[in-house]
Amino acid sequence: MLFEESEICEYISEHLQISVEESKTVLVSIAEQHGILVVRAHKVWSFSHLTFQEYLTANSFLKKKNYKELSEHVVDLHWSSI
């Protein structure tokens, strides 16, 4: 999954209640210090490893207790690791 830099900065800005300009500094710090996010192309970011995306997806389903929708994806080849 790829993210536009502006989209990530908006999320960071909203979550930390800082300006969008300040959020760019936070984004770069996350990338440099923790390596969770990486630049894939000009102003296009992604998780450094698919495991982060998989964890956050599973966590979202569990928090929402949205087991019905999750079960619908079991047969979805796009979600398969095969």
Side-chain angles (χ1 to χ4, degrees), residues 44-68:
V44 176
W45 293 74
S46 74
F47 290 106
S48 59
H49 195 279
L50 187 58
T51 304
F52 295 117
Q53 184 175 325
E54 291 167 344
Y55 168 78
L56 293 171
T57 300
N59 192 39
S60 175
F61 276 105
L62 290 174
K63 280 185 177 180
K64 295 177 186 176
K65 296 187 183 198
N66 196 348
Y67 307 115
K68 182 181 183 310

Side-chain angles (χ1 to χ4, degrees), residues 27-46:
L27 176 59
V28 171
S29 294
I30 291 170
E32 290 175 353
Q33 294 177 19
H34 306 290
I36 295 172
L37 297 169
V38 294
V39 178
R40 297 290 180 189
H42 181 67
K43 296 191 176 194
V44 176
W45 293 74
S46 74

Side-chain angles (χ1 to χ4, degrees), residues 11-35:
Y11 291 136
I12 293 171
S13 174
E14 182 180 319
H15 183 72
L16 297 179
Q17 298 181 348
I18 59 175
S19 71
V20 174
E21 294 78 26
E22 292 172 308
S23 68
K24 168 68 180 193
T25 303
V26 173
L27 176 59
V28 171
S29 294
I30 291 170
E32 290 175 353
Q33 294 177 19
H34 306 290

